[in-house]
Amino acid sequence: MLGISDPTVGGANTETGVIDRPVEAEPEVMATNGHGTAAADGTRAPAAETEDTAAAPPVPIPIPPIVIRKRLVRGRYRSTSGSWQLALRVDVDGNRPTRRVSGDFFTVSGATTTYFGSFIVHSPTVTTTASQVKIEGTGTFTWSAGAPKIRLTIGRANLFESPKPGTLEFLTASNSPGATYFCPFESGFFRTVSYEQDSVAGTVPFLSYNTGSLPQPAGSPARVLTVPGAFAEAGIELLTTGGTNVIPVGAAGANAKWNDAELHAAMVNHFSGFTNTPRWQVWMLVATSHDGGYRGIMFDYGDAFQRQGAAVFYDAIGGADAATQRSQLRTYVHELGHAFNLLHSWQKNLANPPAPLGPNGGLGDLSWMNYDWKYQQSANGPGGAAAYWAAFPFQFTENELVHLRHGYYRNVVMGANAFGTGAAEVDPDLFDTPLVDNSGLALDLRSPKSGFAYGEPVVVELKLSGTELRGRDTHGYLHPNDDLVSIAVQQPSGRTVRYRPMLRHCVDEDRAVRVGVDKPALYESAYIGFGADGFLFEAPGTYRLRATYIAGDGSRILSPVLRLRVRPPATRADEAAAELLLGEEQGQLLALLGSDASQLGKGVSAIETLLDRFPDHPLAVYGRLVKGINQQRDFKELTTDKTLRVREANGTEAASLLGQVAEASLAPEDGVDNVTLNLAMRTQAMAEAKAGHPEQAHDVLRQLVRTFENKNLNPLVLDGIRQQARETAEAIDAAG
């Protein structure tokens, strides 16, 4: 990708705002004379002669040099101008430097900001002078970067100055200049996470532990550590939210023990920051006990947005003595480490991408992520809790530091890639969520059924609603065929594709709709089972879908992830009926709601076979729908000799077919979805009118309203259906 699709090629950012934070400093020695000017040899220059001292020879008095300390060059820098934003992490100085530079790129569109990609420079060349630090190297990127080499220059500041900004230049492989970003200093921390801790009534949350309370390894300084303090030593800021909740024990169910389902429900109900989007935020629950007897758990691992919640269990780890407090600290940090997508020390090779194991297959790691009882320095060496605590310096390992500070954004941020998986799992272009959303709109993607049968056409429902009382103006194009809504589908195989319609509608009319109090939401139904890339749901299994709506101001509004299941065929008849709908031409007929085109003759024949051989099969309703809608309308076909051939509507046949569709769809989850049923019955009414039965046409419309009144729909939705029925009746009367 080049140009606008590649932030390393072309363009420049010039944001100049600086957020000052004190950081560590290093000494620099300078010599001065007594009057503030330095003599070449470091001695004091002679004072002016007086009458008493005129004849006295000067006596040089050596003075010690004055130490002026300089700030270390490390931490987080940020460029925020233009359509690209860059969060830059510089890690070549200070406490346990990993000698790396990394960054995350974000794009700005309208009122939304969305993650684009990340890079890491693993082994840069660092050149330090009295005035600046220059860092050069070749990065590893999550995309194919056109300019993969970097040159970062940061001025050195003394302790009394604000940290100086950095200038990051991207270069091509042949050293041609690419994009340049001006990055003011933002923080001494590499990443900042909002941390909320709640507790069940009756538990005592951990506060702090003095590492000098019990024997510890030589060289490890004694200090008072809190949970945020332990992460601060790794360069990660846990910023406490201040919001806390006391969870009633009754929320756990009939007993005081918690299971995984209850924990997840508690997170949704009680975590004030919970959201189904990737965010730098995490929740810790101090609970009583788990029904599995665990000390702690990173329990949020079973849905689309994982690693947002962890829990520790006071009944298993509680106590006030030093050894218990030390163990509590390790348990809290350990579980939160999982929320950052850190695996146990002995499981790192199972991650995607895999990480190297430490000594003795990882069991010899002196890490928060190891168990004290599982520690084993070598196959025949000392092991167990006593050996662990005798050697543990209360810190993460080197490769864990690299992950925490420099791991690709989606591999670390809470709510993004699933636990233990890396960037290969989900295409970020398809599934990423805006980090900032001030659009005033919300998009929802729904399935009309709990599951689809094998071969059943997959229809989804879209809802665009306003999130502000005063409303928000936008265009009303909500169907994916209009190219302003796109839907991503992750198939059971793990392959992710976009739904691309067979035909693209160029909706260049500047249409404005105000979504708010008077019109709280817009609704649309779309068949997405077949598109430009063929069938998307032809294999049984679970699919993950997400929709993106491009608002009028350019904001990208993303829906939550929808899980949709396609059931395998239960009988041979199920399989045979499904195969009659899964051909290429049948897919086009379903997308077009029928056609007389001669090129689709095989598809028409297959649908006729479905209706002849399996008239009572549930999938037959879709054959009748396609054929009925097509028969209700005149069909114009431009032949190969450029002759226009018109096939007139067959109202009688269309009314009969669509009447059967309506009858098959009365029960919940039977037949077609509600939006399609609405279309089918209004089309049936028009077919009756074309067949010369106006009274039957009005009867169908009255039945339409009664049918949906019995479905307990939202009153506003029901009002819309009544309005559509009135408009159809007026059109029938006008056509007389």
Side-chain angles (χ1 to χ4, degrees), residues 476-485 501 504-507 511:
Y477 300 114
L478 199 54
H479 199 287
N481 287 3
D482 294 338
D483 253 0
L484 292 168
V485 167
R504 295 183 180 275
H505 301 163
C506 297
V507 287
R511 187 171 76 183

Side-chain angles (χ1 to χ4, degrees), residues 405-613:
R405 297 176 180 180
H406 305 291
Y408 292 152
Y409 172 82
R410 287 192 59 85
N411 290 356
V412 185
V413 68
M414 295 79 193
N417 284 348
F419 183 55
T421 61
E425 188 203 24
V426 177
D427 186 340
D429 288 336
L430 301 185
F431 280 88
D432 265 64
T433 303
L435 306 178
V436 178
D437 189 351
N438 298 318
S439 65
L441 299 170
L443 182 66
D444 197 16
L445 184 64
R446 303 172 177 176
S447 171
K449 299 187 175 186
S450 59
F452 289 84
Y454 174 62
E456 184 176 12
V458 173
V459 176
V460 294
E461 298 172 353
L462 298 102
K463 174 186 176 183
L464 182 72
S465 55
T467 61
E468 298 176 345
L469 291 177
R470 64 179 182 272
R472 183 63 65 101
D473 288 333
T474 187
H475 62 78
Y477 300 114
L478 199 54
H479 199 287
N481 287 3
D482 294 338
D483 253 0
L484 292 168
V485 167
S486 61
I487 299 177
V489 179
Q490 187 182 61
Q491 297 169 328
S493 64
R495 175 173 174 258
T496 301
V497 295
R498 282 185 193 269
Y499 165 72
R500 297 192 302 140
M502 282 179 53
L503 303 175
R504 295 183 180 275
H505 301 163
C506 297
V507 287
D508 55 2
E509 177 189 354
D510 187 12
R511 187 171 76 183
V513 178
R514 191 163 189 84
V515 183
V517 177
D518 295 332
K519 185 182 287 293
L522 305 176
Y523 297 86
E524 187 60 86
S525 175
Y527 166 60
I528 62 169
F530 185 90
D533 301 303
F535 284 98
L536 301 185
F537 302 88
E538 58 184 341
T542 299
Y543 294 75
R544 297 175 65 228
L545 288 74
R546 200 169 198 188
T548 306
Y549 172 84
I550 308 299
D553 66 350
S555 298
R556 295 176 64 249
I557 317 302
L558 271 78
S559 74
V561 172
L562 167 68
R563 278 179 169 75
L564 185 151
R565 184 170 179 266
V566 175
R567 298 186 298 271
T571 66
R572 288 187 178 182
D574 289 341
E575 184 175 4
E579 293 298 330
L580 289 169
L581 282 180
L582 286 175
E584 182 80 6
E585 293 184 12
Q586 295 93 302
Q588 295 182 46
L589 289 168
L590 288 165
L592 299 171
L593 287 176
S595 172
D596 278 10
S598 57
Q599 297 90 340
L600 300 179
K602 291 182 179 178
V604 172
S605 177
I607 289 177
E608 292 286 359
T609 301
L610 170 67
L611 298 179
D612 290 341
R613 288 181 55 194

